[in-house]
């Protein structure tokens, strides 16, 4: 778990929600990277036990990102002291594979329900980024993920879209599939410093926008190039409008491909090589933690743009709704499932350059008295209640 990232955010929110209901919750970290100490301490202060699992003392498919983590989970769950009513795994990397095979063979987890949550498999993400598998490990990870999903007692699909998408890719889902949104973010999980900043934002009325903020990881499926194309079109038609607008990219950098190690640099070069955008005030905020990001998007002078080409149930949209950001998002994947039907037309756009350019123009021209905050499709309270009821049902 790191200070940013979708799966870490989802798990930490779920853990804290269940702990608030007096459940005994443990997060077992299967990776080998360094943990973010502030985050782990915050979880422990909220009543969540946290354990980093040790490296196996025998070689298990050395370096295999799925099997090493899965074997750590197997050893941990074989310990008689580590007995759980429910164990959650993610589809990503398929770490449930060894424990689920042991359960299938009848020697482990006989009284435990194993839930695999669909965040998005590696192949789903690769195809969305127009990346084909390059190695044998890429193929094996994909197979392991599919097997783990199929073997689960329960599959938790945060959106109808992600379940349908995996079915269309030939993934066999088990009989018990539950469509249930992830736990939404809450103000209680923000530090005092950033809560004060958010409070000041609440007291202000929406005023003139002076910054467009791309919100999301810098990779193809999140749509940074779509935003650039839309800004090109907007600048051609309304050069004076863009003259005083800053453009920021808020999100972690990733490689473009094996030859280009940084999407940030590609974006920078695209701006510099554009006649219409080369003089734009451009910035990259690729080292923000979650608290800093929430404070940044909550500023009423910023228009938050989430131009994804495909999505499951993105935390960026959840946070934008929950913390009152002035935002627009692409109408793709599970995003529409997150937004109140009466608010969808105001904040959603088809992921096409001209459509986004038109939406940007509308938002930049909007008067503060016309602005209304976007609402959840379901209230945060009802989503949390449904999650708690789901756990009681399968317990």
């Amino acid at each position: 778990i790191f200070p940013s990232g979708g799966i870490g955010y989802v798990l930490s929110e779920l853990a804290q929600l269940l702990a608030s209901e007096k459940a005994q919750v443990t997060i077992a970290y299967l990776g080998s990277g360094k943990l973010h100490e502030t985050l782990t301490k915050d979880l422990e202060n909220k009543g969540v036990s946290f354990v980093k699992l040790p490296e196996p003392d025998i070689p298990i498919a050395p370096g295999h990102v799925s099997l090493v983590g899965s074997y750590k989970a197997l050893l941990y769950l074989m310990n008689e002291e580590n007995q759980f009513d429910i164990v959650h795994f993610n589809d990503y990397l398929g770490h449930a594979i060894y424990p689920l095979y042991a359960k299938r063979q009848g020697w482990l987890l006989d009284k435990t329900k194993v839930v695999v949550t669909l965040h998005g498999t590696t192949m789903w993400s690769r195809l969305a980024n127009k990346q084909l598998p390059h190695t044998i490990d890429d193929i094996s990870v994909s197979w392991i993920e599919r097997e783990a999903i199929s073997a689960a007692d329960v599959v938790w699909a945060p959106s109808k879209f992600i379940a349908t998408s995996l079915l269309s890719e030939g993934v066999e889902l088990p009989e018990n599939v539950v469509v249930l949104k992830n736990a939404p973010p809450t103000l209680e999980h923000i530090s005092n410093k950033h809560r004060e900043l958010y409070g000041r934002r609440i007291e202000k009325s929406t005023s003139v926008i002076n910054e467009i903020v791309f919100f999301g990881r810098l990779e193809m499926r999140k749509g940074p190039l779509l935003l650039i194309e839309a800004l090109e079109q907007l600048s051609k038609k309304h050069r004076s409008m863009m003259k005083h607008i800053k453009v920021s990219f808020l999100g972690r950098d990733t490689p473009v491909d094996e030859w280009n190690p940084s999407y940030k640099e590609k974006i920078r070069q695209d701006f510099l090589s554009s006649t219409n955008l080369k003089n734009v005030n451009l910035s990259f905020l690729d080292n923000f933690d979650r608290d800093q990001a929430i404070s940044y998007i909550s500023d009423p002078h910023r228009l938050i743009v989430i131009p994804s080409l495909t999505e499951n149930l993105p935390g960026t949209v959840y946070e934008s709704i929950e913390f009152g950001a002035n935002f627009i998002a692409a109408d793709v994947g599970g995003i529409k499932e997150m937004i109140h039907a009466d608010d969808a037309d105001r904040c959603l756009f088809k992921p096409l350059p001209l459509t986004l350019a038109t939406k940007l123009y509308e938002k930049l021209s909007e008067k503060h008295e016309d602005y209304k905050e976007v609402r959840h499709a379901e209230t945060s309270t009802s989503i949390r209640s449904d999650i708690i009821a789901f756990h009681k049902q399968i317990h």
Side-chain angles (χ1 to χ4, degrees), residues 330-346:
D331 185 3
V332 297
I335 289 179
K336 196 165 192 173
E337 298 175 42
M338 307 174 72
I339 292 169
H340 194 288
D342 293 343
D343 298 337
D345 288 345
R346 290 191 289 107

Side-chain angles (χ1 to χ4, degrees), residues 2 9 30 52 149 159 181 216 274 287 291 338 358 369:
F2 299 96
Y9 140 71
L30 305 180
K52 181 178 180 181
I149 291 169
S159 66
K181 290 183 175 68
S274 165
N287 61 348
D291 284 9
M338 307 174 72
T358 302
E369 58 264 27

Side-chain angles (χ1 to χ4, degrees), residues 289-302:
D289 63 21
R290 189 175 170 217
D291 284 9
Q292 291 170 310
I294 287 171
S295 293
Y296 203 83
I297 67 170
S298 298
D299 189 304
H301 298 288
R302 297 182 173 118

Side-chain angles (χ1 to χ4, degrees), residues 211-241:
E211 184 176 357
I212 292 172
V213 181
F214 170 92
F215 188 25
R217 193 166 50 249
L218 304 187
E219 64 180 17
M220 177 178 285
R221 84 172 174 90
K222 297 293 185 179
L225 304 186
L226 171 61
L227 176 58
I228 293 172
E229 290 181 55
L231 290 172
E232 278 269 14
Q233 298 203 20
L234 185 64
S235 297
K236 284 179 186 177
K237 281 191 171 183
H238 308 283
R239 189 175 297 274
S240 60
M241 176 178 276

Side-chain angles (χ1 to χ4, degrees), residues 82-95:
N82 303 322
Q83 301 299 309
F84 301 96
D85 298 308
I86 301 169
V87 175
H88 285 273
F89 284 96
N90 313 302
D91 58 347
Y92 179 68
L93 299 181
H95 285 145

Side-chain angles (χ1 to χ4, degrees), residues 170-186:
V171 177
E172 292 185 18
L173 299 181
E175 192 173 304
N176 196 353
V177 177
V178 176
V179 179
L180 180 64
K181 290 183 175 68
N182 296 322
T186 54

